Amino acid sequence: MSPKITGDLLRQLRQAMKNCKYFAEPIQAYIIPSGDAHQSEYIAPCDCRREFICGFNGSAGTAIVTEQYAAMWTDGRYFLQATQQMDNNWTLMKMGLKETPSQEDWLITVLPENSKVGVDPWIYAADQWKNMSTALTSAGHSLVAVQENLIDAVWTNRPKRPSTQLRTLGLEYTGVSWQDKITALRAKMTERKLSWFVATALDEIAWLFNLRGADIEYNPVFFAYTVVGMNTIRLFIDPNRLSDPALRDHLQLDSPSKPELSIQTFPYELVSSELQAICAALGPKDKMWICDKASCALTQVIPKSHRSPIPYTPLCLAKAVKNATEIQGMKMAHIKDAVALCELFAWLEKEIPKGTVTEISAADKAEEFRSQQKDFVGLSFPTISSVGPNGAIIHYRPLPETNRTLTENEVYLIDSGAQYVDGTTDVTRTVHFGTPSAFEKECFTYVLKGHIAVSAAVFPNGTKGHLLDSFARAALWESGLDYLHGTGHGVGCFLNVHEGPCGISYKTFADEPLEAGMIVSDEPGYYEDGSFGIRLENVVLVVPTKPKYNYRNRGSLTFEPLTLVPIQVKMMDTELLTQKERDWVNDYHRKCREVVGAELERQGRKEALEWLIRESQPIV
Amino acid sequence: MSPKITGDLLRQLRQAMKNCKYFAEPIQAYIIPSGDAHQSEYIAPCDCRREFICGFNGSAGTAIVTEQYAAMWTDGRYFLQATQQMDNNWTLMKMGLKETPSQEDWLITVLPENSKVGVDPWIYAADQWKNMSTALTSAGHSLVAVQENLIDAVWTNRPKRPSTQLRTLGLEYTGVSWQDKITALRAKMTERKLSWFVATALDEIAWLFNLRGADIEYNPVFFAYTVVGMNTIRLFIDPNRLSDPALRDHLQLDSPSKPELSIQTFPYELVSSELQAICAALGPKDKMWICDKASCALTQVIPKSHRSPIPYTPLCLAKAVKNATEIQGMKMAHIKDAVALCELFAWLEKEIPKGTVTEISAADKAEEFRSQQKDFVGLSFPTISSVGPNGAIIHYRPLPETNRTLTENEVYLIDSGAQYVDGTTDVTRTVHFGTPSAFEKECFTYVLKGHIAVSAAVFPNGTKGHLLDSFARAALWESGLDYLHGTGHGVGCFLNVHEGPCGISYKTFADEPLEAGMIVSDEPGYYEDGSFGIRLENVVLVVPTKPKYNYRNRGSLTFEPLTLVPIQVKMMDTELLTQKERDWVNDYHRKCREVVGAELERQGRKEALEWLIRESQPIV
């Protein structure tokens, strides 16, 4: 992987920063966040501005360019990748290390007095704006909104915003009609005495209307905004999409059942002016709910006195707690996904000795097997297929220039998932096709112990996920090891593979209490730079459980694995496992054999079934 | 315990709320926090306003009185106690339970439109003000500062502010002179480009000047403020205290070694006007450091443009990391404290069968034994000496009307500690003098497992205490049990028994990363309402440790128990312990026997020594 050459681009950007065409005065620094106007994690090519300017294409990172410096902040998953993708015009700022300054502190250190720091307010969240602005102001600088994006100004041939065909989802997939979701939303609004709600997150809008798109690779969403009042629903979307009769029928555009469920559509670009018009007509007590992660530009359209900012929208919370139909769909999707992975591993065992399987071809094969399953739509994120040292690059994506061959000598880590119409999957397995070293086994076993400690944890109702994070690390910590990423994220149902507001992380923000019906990943790891990477990931469902006692009638929760793919026993140092942990592995493998075995049998996939039976034998 | 009768008082307070003598307009609600002007947890009698108005005398709680309602918020430690101490004019608001509204939400629900909510700005922290004010404003109400305290207005015979004799501490106790502490503080100020620092926390001021007082029971502090500039030190304190020649000499009041180490003294009451004068002379870039927990009244003296609020002051952080002299002193204090407790338990075993020992007499005896130890100053908090059902009242304090007799039939919990000139102690043991029930043993063992899980935890440098909290709960959670308090708090060195900025709690605020030299408590518990309470508390020192590996050279930490008092084996269901846990208990008991045994021998306390030897036998 050779770094992107950025000297010329930075020169042009710095000229734009001084050009009064864009802002009345020269600006001394320009912030380039990685998001789009909807705070999406995965973004469309037209929104990949941070990648365009610095070359780094990971999912998280913020670049800041000053007259003299160019720096890019990202987290531990991406340190190696960012080093490889950025040329030496750029300084990598390793977030999470003690010595790394925050963006604010760094700006304050490097900027001349009374500097102006610019940012595009459409891709900067209102809460980010507030924090950054406060910090800069207190140091004598100021944060300014530059309406035209300066990266777009220097980006020739920037791609167009996508507008893909929309898919309607019936009750057999969603469990609840969009009309009922609107009604439930309005009930929440009434409860909180709010008259309006502004939705900006693409997955929330897709979930609300039981629609899916393909505007952003891997994420079945579409570009839109929604503003819901007590008697009105406004949907901002490319009008070209609305000619599809199935869609018109689904949204009842031509014959709404009730006036308050009639959807008015507007072009996507008009959200700001229409919101302005709504605000102009607000009564003195009318309040609008908007997520504090919504764009600064849209948030500031709402006068402060009418604004009721919230860390999570009611849609975000409602979407996170899956209903029975969604849970059933997620279970089906995970069984199909396990079938594909059993096939993959059986195939790999046969093919690897021939020396012809590479990271890329293995990833392609995994996709091929998945695509044979019913209702397959696409991958849920770029497959991380990594051999040996590449496994230590936490969000590695194989490229022709880094592509390694799978052998019997190195650890292989594959983190992959798919979108099916009935659910979204995300699974990581780490395997060895020869004989793993004692150290590899030791690390794998610590990771496994951490995985089990979370998966088998019993905890009271109302517990936040961050309180479980250390369970995943305790065995690693005891040996002086750790991993620099969170332990789990929320998973959508045929939606984004990463979703809020729950998760399992040492980071305590964005963390609503776990509730029965929530679905998260459990994925501790260990990464030995330059040598190997280990990660074990299951998607798990939060379920009620009844331990011996029930203190203060609070009730208890635990997790039920939805992912049902054997964990390689060969990689375990079973001596290091407690009896309880061995029992967990055996129970898990029995369930894999029963549930996935039946499906493999049904589909007549014999070799995969043999592999599954062999790999799910109990350990003693 | 009979509740305080508050009908008349509330009537008077409500009249004062409407009286324009105190505030220009009638106020519809009045907030009575539990703190003093220094945000102290323990407070002097003159500051016990919340207790005066509602009767509840626990260490944490906030009362709010409206025209119609009177409500008091406190946490799980105090639910039972508050119920017993408040009459039915008051509603108990159980913090931490899902159904309990926050103070803000409750006010918004009960207040008529456009209400004014009053508070004394001297006893309300700046950050509390901000949060409350924002919430009230967004609901159409307002928070107003009532300069004269309305409780004081209705409190006849309110006690005077204490002004006790001050004690100077030499280098043999502090390890660092106050002059060097000032120099280190100024270095931090230079590093952060700040020209002034305002200290309001009493323990920080005592620590800074190597002085101790006795103004607040159990906490060896004195009422004062300090403002430190780059060349000046201003100390605000009762002038009567300054006549002591030893004190004048210690502070070099008459012959400062260097001009920048010369201390100017001012009467305590002048802090506000003098700070105003300092602020009037500030240059445009001068910034003042003040804790965001400092009083709203004092904070607002500093113009916003000059204010640099911080969650913890540099003194708070420096004080938390004990130096070698302080650690040595804390170790000595804990050995002496263990001697006293061994004596107590040996004595209890002898006396209990006679039926004459009560919660109060046992607590008195514990104090008597402690007072025989060298450099004993007093208790570090009111002894919690509780039998059977009283043990379930987490911060119980025996009173004549609740006093139970210790018997061979009920669990006895004693949580006690002392101030010695060389250190502060805090220890809880739960014991049975007859035969505990299987359920009592089961719960005790889960608590012990939690205690050990924290005490023996190995974790990376930079870990915050809240990440360890669940380790203490995992065994309880697995059986559906829990406890409604944090697991540990920072402990001062001959200072407050509760101090920041580190701790071990599911609450994630006020939580700086653990560092070698910090001292915290490890005290999980289990409370069966109406039946018994269990808590196991050691004070532990954060120490570096070297596990097998050292990921990214971050280094690892663990805890070393300073408390060395046997944990009753009779209360353990040793079948439930793992081999590792049994080893921990045996190692711990061996250390108790060696270290405390030697001191008991030296002091010639034979019965206690016999008790120690018997109680520290290894389990198998």
Side-chain angles (χ1 to χ4, degrees):
Chain A
M1 202 184 314
S2 54
K4 174 162 183 169
I5 305 303
T6 60
D8 273 347
L9 279 178
L10 285 169
R11 233 185 323 277
Q12 291 170 44
L13 175 61
R14 285 174 176 133
Q15 272 165 11
M17 286 160 60
K18 283 182 235 159
N19 189 336
C20 298
K21 187 172 119 190
Y22 303 112
F23 195 76
E25 291 172 72
I27 58 174
Q28 283 70 46
Y30 189 65
I31 304 176
I32 306 113
S34 69
D36 60 15
H38 305 270
Q39 285 64 54
S40 306
E41 182 189 6
Y42 290 78
I43 50 181
C46 60
D47 290 318
C48 294
R49 300 179 179 99
R50 188 250 303 138
E51 175 185 351
F52 174 77
I53 195 68
C54 75
F56 166 62
N57 70 355
S59 68
T62 299
I64 303 185
V65 175
T66 69
E67 286 159 330
Q68 289 197 317
Y69 305 100
M72 207 283 300
W73 280 255
T74 191
D75 61 69
R77 296 172 299 177
Y78 290 119
F79 292 168
L80 283 177
Q81 177 180 337
T83 310
Q84 292 170 346
Q85 292 183 325
M86 299 194 304
D87 70 7
N88 57 16
N89 288 305
W90 288 87
T91 305
L92 173 60
M93 295 295 191
K94 297 180 175 183
M95 287 164 70
L97 303 192
K98 214 177 169 176
E99 62 271 25
T100 305
S102 67
Q103 292 164 28
E104 296 86 326
D105 287 348
W106 181 79
L107 279 167
I108 291 166
T109 312
V110 305
L111 286 179
E113 289 183 13
N114 289 310
S115 284
K116 293 205 160 22
V117 177
V119 70
D120 175 351
W122 280 97
I123 58 173
Y124 212 56
D127 60 349
Q128 286 179 302
W129 177 280
K130 197 175 160 191
N131 293 339
M132 179 60 81
S133 179
T134 305
L136 291 178
T137 306
S138 83
H141 309 298
S142 57
L143 182 65
V144 298
V146 182
Q147 293 300 331
E148 188 168 337
N149 190 292
L150 297 190
I151 301 298
D152 298 358
V154 303
W155 189 349
T156 45
N157 301 321
R158 180 168 160 254
K160 280 204 178 136
R161 186 159 304 281
S163 181
T164 56
Q165 209 196 334
L166 299 187
R167 176 197 299 262
T168 62
L169 291 183
L171 280 179
E172 67 279 23
Y173 291 112
T174 65
V176 180
S177 69
W178 67 259
Q179 292 89 339
D180 286 349
K181 289 178 180 179
I182 291 274
T183 305
L185 169 63
R186 285 179 176 148
K188 290 262 169 215
M189 288 161 61
T190 304
E191 196 185 304
R192 300 288 293 263
K193 298 181 186 161
L194 294 152
S195 36
W196 292 89
F197 168 71
V198 182
T200 64
L202 301 185
D203 61 339
E204 295 180 17
I205 297 168
W207 177 85
L208 178 63
F209 291 109
N210 292 335
L211 290 176
R212 298 296 186 266
D215 288 3
I216 296 183
E217 207 181 355
Y218 311 114
N219 293 182
V221 296
F222 53 93
F223 286 101
Y225 292 98
T226 297
V227 180
V228 178
M230 293 314 287
N231 296 299
T232 128
I233 307 166
R234 288 175 173 79
L235 177 61
F236 301 84
I237 192 167
D238 176 3
N240 295 320
R241 307 177 106 148
L242 298 172
S243 49
D244 175 10
L247 178 68
R248 298 194 72 80
D249 186 46
H250 176 85
L251 293 179
Q252 300 191 308
L253 291 184
D254 306 308
S255 54
S257 56
K258 296 176 191 172
E260 70 271 24
L261 292 171
S262 152
I263 299 175
Q264 288 175 272
T265 61
F266 298 83
Y268 175 74
E269 292 73 18
L270 293 192
V271 63
S272 184
S273 55
E274 181 63 19
L275 189 60
Q276 230 157 358
I278 295 170
C279 289
L282 289 178
K285 292 202 173 173
D286 285 336
K287 292 270 178 192
M288 273 197 178
W289 236 355
I290 187 164
C291 185
D292 61 14
K293 279 152 214 75
S295 74
C296 184
L298 205 59
T299 304
Q300 292 182 352
V301 166
I302 310 168
K304 215 171 170 181
S305 60
H306 292 297
R307 210 187 293 160
S308 190
I310 32 166
Y312 321 104
T313 74
L315 299 187
C316 179
L317 273 165
K319 174 170 63 63
V321 182
K322 275 70 179 173
N323 62 42
T325 308
E326 290 169 322
I327 291 171
Q328 190 49 35
M330 284 294 270
K331 285 186 175 173
M332 288 310 303
H334 280 81
I335 293 168
K336 293 183 284 184
D337 210 58
V339 164
L341 277 188
C342 290
E343 285 208 287
L344 174 73
F345 287 119
W347 179 84
L348 285 174
E349 277 190 5
K350 259 190 347 203
E351 298 298 318
I352 284 170
K354 302 178 189 164
T356 53
V357 185
T358 66
E359 294 169 339
I360 294 178
S361 72
D364 290 346
K365 200 74 192 175
E367 182 167 0
E368 182 190 323
F369 285 128
R370 282 187 163 108
S371 70
Q372 294 165 9
Q373 294 299 314
K374 185 165 167 269
D375 282 343
F376 171 84
V377 177
L379 299 186
S380 57
F381 59 96
T383 298
I384 299 170
S385 168
S386 55
V387 171
N390 288 342
I393 304 171
I394 299 181
H395 271 204
Y396 175 76
R397 180 179 182 169
L399 296 171
E401 58 268 34
T402 63
N403 197 17
R404 286 175 83 90
T405 301
L406 276 68
T407 70
E408 289 167 345
N409 305 317
E410 290 185 313
V411 171
Y412 177 60
L413 182 159
I414 179 162
D415 183 351
S416 60
Q419 299 288 359
Y420 302 89
V421 183
D422 44 6
T424 302
T425 66
D426 182 0
V427 46
T428 311
R429 287 295 179 268
T430 305
V431 294
H432 203 292
F433 295 98
T435 307
S437 74
F439 182 55
E440 287 162 349
K441 286 173 70 173
E442 184 185 358
C443 296
F444 183 94
T445 309
Y446 295 149
V447 171
L448 173 63
K449 287 166 91 78
H451 179 92
I452 296 172
V454 169
S455 194
V458 174
F459 49 91
N461 256 318
T463 301
K464 292 184 173 188
H466 72 259
L467 291 170
L468 308 180
D469 184 74
S470 305
F471 290 159
R473 298 177 201 272
L476 287 160
W477 282 357
E478 205 176 330
S479 294
L481 305 177
D482 198 5
Y483 53 95
L484 299 183
H485 59 73
T487 301
H489 53 80
V491 179
C493 182
F494 185 26
L495 262 177
N496 295 358
V497 74
H498 295 166
E499 68 170 24
C502 57
I504 303 173
S505 175
Y506 53 93
K507 294 170 194 156
T508 54
F509 53 83
D511 195 20
E512 281 294 294
L514 294 168
E515 273 183 58
M518 285 179 166
I519 291 179
V520 296
S521 69
D522 169 14
E523 48 178 317
Y526 176 71
Y527 310 92
E528 181 78 11
D529 284 351
S531 185
F532 63 85
I534 288 164
R535 187 163 59 255
L536 269 179
E537 176 186 26
N538 280 355
V539 169
V540 295
L541 170 70
V542 182
V543 292
T545 184
K546 282 190 193 292
K548 196 168 171 188
Y549 305 109
N550 186 10
Y551 181 63
R552 302 210 169 189
N553 288 313
R554 282 198 297 174
S556 292
L557 300 171
T558 188
F559 297 110
E560 176 190 328
L562 298 182
T563 306
L564 293 172
V565 178
I567 299 165
Q568 196 180 40
V569 175
K570 190 204 280 181
M571 282 293 288
M572 301 176 196
D573 181 346
T574 52
E575 292 290 304
L576 295 176
L577 295 177
T578 64
Q579 189 54 46
K580 249 178 162 171
E581 289 163 344
R582 274 180 227 130
D583 290 346
W584 185 94
V585 170
N586 289 339
D587 285 350
Y588 178 70
H589 279 163
R590 194 179 52 242
K591 193 171 174 195
C592 292
R593 200 163 57 240
E594 285 171 9
V595 177
V596 181
E599 180 66 16
L600 281 165
E601 189 121 31
R602 206 186 59 78
Q603 295 191 18
R605 299 181 188 260
K606 285 192 185 150
E607 285 186 23
L609 179 59
E610 277 164 28
W611 178 89
L612 169 68
I613 290 169
R614 198 192 70 219
E615 287 294 306
S616 59
Q617 292 304 310
I619 52 176
V620 280
Chain B
M1 200 183 312
S2 53
K4 175 163 182 168
I5 306 302
T6 61
D8 273 346
L9 279 177
L10 284 170
R11 235 184 322 277
Q12 290 170 46
L13 175 61
R14 285 176 176 132
Q15 271 164 11
M17 285 161 60
K18 284 182 236 161
N19 188 334
C20 297
K21 187 173 121 191
Y22 302 113
F23 194 76
E25 290 172 75
I27 59 175
Q28 284 70 46
Y30 189 63
I31 305 176
I32 306 113
S34 69
D36 60 15
H38 305 272
Q39 283 65 53
S40 306
E41 182 189 6
Y42 290 79
I43 50 181
C46 59
D47 290 319
C48 294
R49 299 180 179 96
R50 189 250 303 137
E51 175 185 349
F52 174 78
I53 195 68
C54 74
F56 166 62
N57 71 354
S59 68
T62 299
I64 303 184
V65 175
T66 69
E67 287 159 329
Q68 291 198 313
Y69 305 101
M72 207 282 302
W73 281 254
T74 190
D75 61 69
R77 295 172 301 176
Y78 291 119
F79 292 169
L80 282 177
Q81 179 180 335
T83 309
Q84 292 170 347
Q85 294 184 325
M86 299 194 307
D87 70 7
N88 57 17
N89 289 304
W90 289 86
T91 305
L92 173 60
M93 295 294 192
K94 298 182 174 182
M95 289 165 68
L97 302 193
K98 214 177 170 179
E99 61 271 25
T100 304
S102 67
Q103 293 163 29
E104 296 87 325
D105 287 348
W106 181 80
L107 279 168
I108 292 167
T109 313
V110 304
L111 286 179
E113 288 186 15
N114 287 312
S115 286
K116 293 206 161 22
V117 178
V119 70
D120 175 352
W122 281 97
I123 58 173
Y124 211 58
D127 60 350
Q128 286 179 301
W129 176 281
K130 199 176 156 189
N131 294 338
M132 180 58 80
S133 178
T134 305
L136 291 177
T137 306
S138 83
H141 309 297
S142 58
L143 182 65
V144 300
V146 182
Q147 293 300 330
E148 190 170 334
N149 191 292
L150 296 190
I151 301 298
D152 299 357
V154 302
W155 189 349
T156 46
N157 301 321
R158 180 168 160 254
K160 281 204 177 137
R161 188 160 302 283
S163 181
T164 55
Q165 208 196 336
L166 298 187
R167 177 198 297 261
T168 62
L169 290 183
L171 281 179
E172 68 279 21
Y173 290 111
T174 64
V176 179
S177 68
W178 66 259
Q179 291 89 340
D180 286 349
K181 289 178 180 177
I182 291 275
T183 305
L185 168 63
R186 285 180 175 147
K188 290 265 170 214
M189 288 161 62
T190 305
E191 198 184 304
R192 298 289 293 263
K193 296 183 186 158
L194 294 152
S195 37
W196 292 89
F197 168 71
V198 181
T200 65
L202 301 184
D203 62 337
E204 295 180 16
I205 297 167
W207 177 85
L208 178 64
F209 291 111
N210 293 335
L211 290 175
R212 298 293 186 270
D215 288 3
I216 296 183
E217 207 181 355
Y218 311 112
N219 294 183
V221 296
F222 53 93
F223 286 101
Y225 291 99
T226 298
V227 180
V228 178
M230 294 313 288
N231 296 300
T232 130
I233 307 166
R234 288 175 173 80
L235 177 61
F236 301 84
I237 193 167
D238 176 4
N240 296 322
R241 305 178 107 149
L242 298 171
S243 50
D244 175 11
L247 178 68
R248 297 194 72 82
D249 186 48
H250 176 84
L251 293 179
Q252 300 191 310
L253 291 183
D254 306 308
S255 55
S257 57
K258 295 175 189 172
E260 71 270 23
L261 292 172
S262 155
I263 298 176
Q264 288 174 273
T265 61
F266 298 82
Y268 175 74
E269 293 73 17
L270 293 191
V271 63
S272 185
S273 56
E274 180 64 20
L275 189 60
Q276 229 157 358
I278 295 170
C279 288
L282 290 178
K285 293 203 174 172
D286 285 337
K287 291 270 178 193
M288 273 197 177
W289 237 355
I290 187 163
C291 184
D292 59 15
K293 278 150 215 74
S295 74
C296 184
L298 205 60
T299 304
Q300 292 183 352
V301 166
I302 310 168
K304 214 170 170 182
S305 60
H306 292 296
R307 209 187 296 160
S308 190
I310 34 167
Y312 320 104
T313 75
L315 299 187
C316 178
L317 272 166
K319 174 168 65 60
V321 182
K322 275 68 177 174
N323 62 43
T325 307
E326 290 170 322
I327 290 171
Q328 190 49 34
M330 285 293 271
K331 285 186 175 175
M332 288 309 304
H334 280 83
I335 293 168
K336 293 183 285 186
D337 210 58
V339 164
L341 278 188
C342 289
E343 285 207 288
L344 174 73
F345 286 119
W347 180 84
L348 286 174
E349 277 190 4
K350 257 190 350 202
E351 299 298 319
I352 284 171
K354 302 178 189 163
T356 54
V357 186
T358 66
E359 293 170 341
I360 293 179
S361 72
D364 290 346
K365 200 73 191 177
E367 182 166 1
E368 182 190 322
F369 285 128
R370 281 189 164 107
S371 70
Q372 293 165 9
Q373 294 298 315
K374 186 165 166 269
D375 284 342
F376 172 83
V377 177
L379 298 187
S380 57
F381 59 95
T383 298
I384 300 170
S385 169
S386 55
V387 171
N390 288 342
I393 304 172
I394 299 180
H395 271 205
Y396 175 76
R397 182 180 181 170
L399 296 171
E401 59 269 33
T402 63
N403 197 17
R404 285 176 84 89
T405 301
L406 276 69
T407 69
E408 288 169 346
N409 305 319
E410 289 185 311
V411 171
Y412 177 59
L413 181 159
I414 177 164
D415 183 352
S416 60
Q419 299 288 359
Y420 303 90
V421 183
D422 43 6
T424 302
T425 66
D426 182 0
V427 46
T428 309
R429 287 295 178 267
T430 305
V431 294
H432 203 292
F433 295 99
T435 306
S437 73
F439 182 54
E440 286 163 349
K441 286 172 71 172
E442 184 185 358
C443 295
F444 183 94
T445 309
Y446 295 150
V447 172
L448 173 63
K449 287 167 91 80
H451 179 91
I452 296 172
V454 169
S455 194
V458 174
F459 49 92
N461 256 317
T463 301
K464 293 184 173 188
H466 72 258
L467 291 170
L468 308 181
D469 183 73
S470 305
F471 289 160
R473 299 177 200 273
L476 286 161
W477 282 357
E478 207 176 328
S479 294
L481 305 177
D482 197 6
Y483 52 96
L484 299 184
H485 60 72
T487 301
H489 53 81
V491 178
C493 183
F494 186 27
L495 264 176
N496 296 358
V497 73
H498 295 167
E499 68 169 26
C502 58
I504 302 173
S505 175
Y506 53 94
K507 294 169 192 156
T508 54
F509 55 83
D511 195 21
E512 281 295 293
L514 293 167
E515 273 182 58
M518 284 177 167
I519 291 178
V520 296
S521 70
D522 169 13
E523 47 179 316
Y526 176 71
Y527 309 93
E528 182 77 10
D529 285 352
S531 184
F532 63 85
I534 288 163
R535 187 160 62 253
L536 270 178
E537 176 186 25
N538 281 353
V539 168
V540 295
L541 170 70
V542 183
V543 291
T545 186
K546 281 189 193 292
K548 196 167 171 190
Y549 305 109
N550 186 9
Y551 181 63
R552 301 212 171 186
N553 286 312
R554 281 197 297 174
S556 290
L557 300 171
T558 189
F559 297 110
E560 176 190 327
L562 299 182
T563 305
L564 292 173
V565 178
I567 298 165
Q568 196 178 41
V569 174
K570 190 203 282 182
M571 283 291 290
M572 301 176 197
D573 180 347
T574 53
E575 292 290 303
L576 295 176
L577 296 177
T578 63
Q579 189 54 48
K580 249 178 160 171
E581 288 163 344
R582 276 180 225 130
D583 291 346
W584 185 94
V585 170
N586 290 338
D587 285 351
Y588 178 70
H589 279 162
R590 194 177 53 240
K591 195 172 173 194
C592 293
R593 201 163 55 239
E594 285 171 10
V595 176
V596 181
E599 182 64 17
L600 281 166
E601 187 121 33
R602 206 186 59 75
Q603 296 191 17
R605 299 181 188 262
K606 283 191 186 150
E607 285 187 22
L609 180 59
E610 275 164 31
W611 178 88
L612 169 67
I613 288 169
R614 198 193 71 219
E615 287 293 307
S616 59
Q617 291 303 311
I619 52 175
V620 280

